[in-house]
Amino acid sequence: MALTAAVEWEPVIGLEVHAQLKTDTKLYCGCTTRFGEPPNTQVCPVCLGLPGSLPVMNERAFRLGLKAALALHCQIAHFTKIDRKNYYYPDLPKNYQISQYDLPLARQGWLEVRLPDGPPKRIRITRVHLEEDAGKLVHDQSGAGGDSGVDLNRTGIPLIEIVSEPDLRSAAQARAYMEALAQILLYLDVCDCNMQEGSLRCDANVSLRPQGHTALNTRREIKNMNSFRFVEQAIAAEIADQKA
């Protein structure tokens, strides 16, 4: 079908929210999760993935993940498993992330959101799963193009990833959903939602389709946003760019 300039485009938005679980130690080892310590002082053979080291699940992290999934009306899996997702990142020393793939902790939940541009809406939750965080790259801030460093203190920090269905239709709706989700996680004491410390981050998948159509088109992903305002502004800019 030929599309003309008169076509009204509908944004289609889904969010992947990463929330750091409130534990004293990492997901698979005994290293502390304290924020702001000197670089590479909170690491061990397990979170560095050294040969012969074996991960051991943090029970509190598992329970906090279950707590969040239940609050989001998810179906809890009777059987779940852990997977290795292979990536090559400078701040991922093992070259894989311990995460979940086909058998996550929970599926098929929902969150009722009060929207700024319409009536309340039920946003479907695809899945909630456990995973470990990667490290952090520290870049030269002088503008002179100096060296970059790698801080592995965050490697192995326990996260839950909360993936929504593409049910959001505007940047304002995405912000409202993110804020409602943060309120629940704070109330449950699952996550401190301290976004400036990276405790709550969001990836947004954005595409457009003609009004009245149901097919999902090619999406673009905006990664690692750490404020509600940034989420709204980045999605608004992406929608404008795709329309252009």
Side-chain angles (χ1 to χ4, degrees), residues 131-189:
E131 65 182 20
E132 61 176 354
D133 207 351
K136 181 173 70 173
L137 295 178
V138 184
H139 302 293
D140 174 35
Q141 300 296 314
S142 69
D147 294 335
S148 294
V150 181
D151 180 5
L152 297 176
N153 282 350
R154 283 199 67 86
T155 301
I157 291 285
L159 307 175
I160 48 170
E161 182 173 348
I162 302 166
V163 182
S164 82
E165 291 287 329
D167 291 344
L168 299 158
R169 296 292 176 264
S170 71
Q173 288 185 15
R175 176 174 182 165
Y177 166 83
M178 184 98 177
E179 289 176 339
L181 186 58
Q183 287 178 343
I184 289 175
L185 296 175
L186 276 170
Y187 179 79
L188 293 175
D189 205 30

Side-chain angles (χ1 to χ4, degrees), residues 3-25:
L3 299 176
T4 70
V7 169
E8 289 292 324
W9 294 101
E10 176 183 58
V12 179
I13 304 161
L15 299 186
E16 302 171 12
V17 177
H18 295 84
Q20 179 177 331
L21 299 172
K22 286 188 71 173
T23 62
D24 294 329
T25 55

Side-chain angles (χ1 to χ4, degrees), residues 158-229:
L159 307 175
I160 48 170
E161 182 173 348
I162 302 166
V163 182
S164 82
E165 291 287 329
D167 291 344
L168 299 158
R169 296 292 176 264
S170 71
Q173 288 185 15
R175 176 174 182 165
Y177 166 83
M178 184 98 177
E179 289 176 339
L181 186 58
Q183 287 178 343
I184 289 175
L185 296 175
L186 276 170
Y187 179 79
L188 293 175
D189 205 30
V190 165
C191 173
D192 64 18
C193 296
N194 197 335
M195 300 180 84
Q196 65 268 30
E197 295 182 0
S199 296
L200 190 68
R201 309 193 301 271
C202 175
D203 302 339
N205 292 282
V206 182
S207 64
L208 295 179
R209 67 185 175 194
Q211 287 279 4
H213 288 230
T214 57
L216 298 174
N217 290 327
T218 302
R219 66 186 185 271
R220 290 201 294 202
E221 187 175 15
I222 315 165
K223 299 285 286 184
N224 271 332
M225 294 172 285
N226 67 339
S227 90
F228 302 127
R229 181 167 56 91

Side-chain angles (χ1 to χ4, degrees), residues 1-106:
M1 181 183 69
L3 299 176
T4 70
V7 169
E8 289 292 324
W9 294 101
E10 176 183 58
V12 179
I13 304 161
L15 299 186
E16 302 171 12
V17 177
H18 295 84
Q20 179 177 331
L21 299 172
K22 286 188 71 173
T23 62
D24 294 329
T25 55
K26 294 183 180 181
L27 187 53
Y28 295 111
C29 67
C31 293
T32 178
T33 58
R34 283 194 305 271
F35 179 80
E37 296 297 311
N40 301 310
T41 58
Q42 297 167 214
V43 294
C44 73
V46 173
C47 54
L48 292 177
L50 298 184
S53 61
L54 293 175
V56 177
M57 170 66 74
N58 184 324
E59 181 182 349
R60 176 169 169 77
F62 189 85
R63 290 182 178 274
L64 290 176
L66 283 176
K67 195 175 180 181
L70 288 169
L72 295 171
H73 309 96
C74 290
Q75 296 180 15
I76 306 301
H78 293 286
F79 177 82
T80 185
K81 69 181 178 70
I82 304 297
D83 300 280
R84 288 182 176 183
K85 292 184 179 178
N86 291 280
Y87 303 96
Y88 180 72
Y89 292 155
D91 56 357
L92 192 64
K94 299 190 292 287
N95 286 337
Y96 62 83
Q97 178 192 38
I98 304 178
S99 181
Q100 295 189 283
Y101 178 57
D102 58 327
L103 295 174
L105 189 68

